[in-house]
Amino acid sequence: EEILETLEVFPEHYLGKQDLASRKIFELRERVSLVFHSVTFSLGSVDPLDEDFLLKVKTLAQQLKVLWVSDHLSYSSVGGVR
């Protein structure tokens, strides 16, 4: 019996990577539900949203069938620098 039912992961750790951890997250998804909690959307910033980053997160979320995606309402970039 599995003890862990849902796991929160940072999508930034897996975007565009082909490493062991990235492959393992797909295996893990077969056993537990996943939710994403990003820390780099910079939703409170004066910078525009990074639409390329958002698309990558959306694509990965769809591939992994995550339950939801969340982020801090924060100011985490200035002039495009994170």
Side-chain angles (χ1 to χ4, degrees):
E1 179 179 334
E2 296 285 339
I3 295 172
L4 186 64
E5 294 180 14
T6 304
L7 181 66
E8 178 183 275
V9 296
F10 296 116
E12 295 88 341
H13 292 193
Y14 305 100
L15 294 177
K17 297 180 180 174
Q18 301 297 319
D19 59 3
L20 179 61
S22 297
R23 291 190 302 273
K24 290 291 184 183
I25 197 73
F26 280 89
E27 292 175 20
L28 181 62
R29 174 58 184 96
E30 298 301 317
R31 298 187 354 239
V32 300
S33 297
L34 299 177
V35 297
F36 277 175
H37 183 73
S38 178
V39 293
T40 56
F41 284 155
S42 197
L43 296 173
S45 175
V46 296
D47 288 346
L49 287 176
D50 183 343
E51 293 185 24
D52 183 53
F53 175 73
L54 291 174
L55 181 58
K56 289 176 184 175
V57 171
K58 176 184 177 183
T59 300
L60 186 59
Q62 290 172 333
Q63 291 171 342
L64 289 171
K65 299 178 178 81
V66 301
L67 298 175
W68 67 77
V69 178
S70 65
D71 193 289
H72 296 304
L73 183 56
S74 66
Y75 196 109
S76 56
S77 72
V78 175
V81 177
R82 292 189 170 135

